[in-house]
Amino acid sequence: MTWMPCQRITRVDVPSAFRIRGLAANAVICWPDTTAGSGADYSIDFSHLLGRSDRIVEVEAMCSGGVIAWTSTFGTLATMWVQWLCSGAQTATLSVRTATGAVFTATASIIVRCAPQLIACDAPSYAPNAFFLGSAIVPDASGNPLIFG
């Protein structure tokens, strides 16, 4: 397994100033700007919310202004591959369920410039860390491709 999510990774964490005296606040998280028509994998790191022995077992994603091809996990990262179709300020929400049953949700923002992507790319059918036996996928309990990572 050599694939690892790219550098479009942001961390969900409560700033230390808000942690004083038990206050909690949603962190504003952003990915780098992109162009309309571009597609790539985008990740959110949930490591600061997971317990020592906890792990992500399921990822759900939705986004405004884009089409999601797949979602995946890679360690403490929740990853989605999205192609951005609309320009302007867009958001993506990733929710994860952990092995202990905890659910965490984070929303990331991105600015999509109206300049079109110069080289068009096709959306991949499956995450790069999906498990295959020959040409057949190995499904998990929910029927999605089993993921290594």
Side-chain angles (χ1 to χ4, degrees):
M1 179 67 220
T2 59
W3 178 79
M4 186 170 161
C6 71
Q7 297 302 312
R8 289 175 291 274
I9 301 170
T10 187
R11 177 183 295 176
V12 68
D13 189 16
V14 176
S16 57
F18 289 112
R19 282 186 248 154
I20 298 171
R21 297 185 185 168
L23 296 175
N26 291 333
V28 175
I29 53 178
C30 299
W31 286 307
D33 295 354
T34 190
T35 58
S38 66
D41 56 287
Y42 293 85
S43 300
I44 296 179
D45 184 355
F46 286 88
S47 61
H48 290 298
L49 301 178
L50 300 176
R52 286 184 180 248
S53 61
D54 210 359
R55 61 185 176 85
I56 297 172
V57 295
E58 186 177 356
V59 177
E60 292 291 329
M62 62 182 196
C63 70
S64 63
V67 175
I68 299 170
W70 51 259
T71 60
S72 182
T73 63
F74 191 87
T76 61
L77 302 178
T79 304
M80 69 174 185
W81 195 98
V82 62
Q83 183 173 20
W84 301 104
L85 303 177
C86 299
S87 60
Q90 307 297 335
T91 59
T93 302
L94 280 88
S95 292
V96 298
R97 185 174 53 83
T98 68
T100 60
V103 175
F104 301 110
T105 301
T107 300
S109 300
I110 187 168
I111 300 296
V112 180
R113 295 185 304 265
C114 59
Q117 178 73 12
L118 295 177
I119 300 173
C121 57
D122 295 328
S125 300
Y126 301 104
N129 57 343
F131 183 60
F132 287 90
L133 285 176
S135 60
I137 65 163
V138 176
D140 62 10
S142 60
N144 297 316
L146 185 64
I147 299 296
F148 285 122

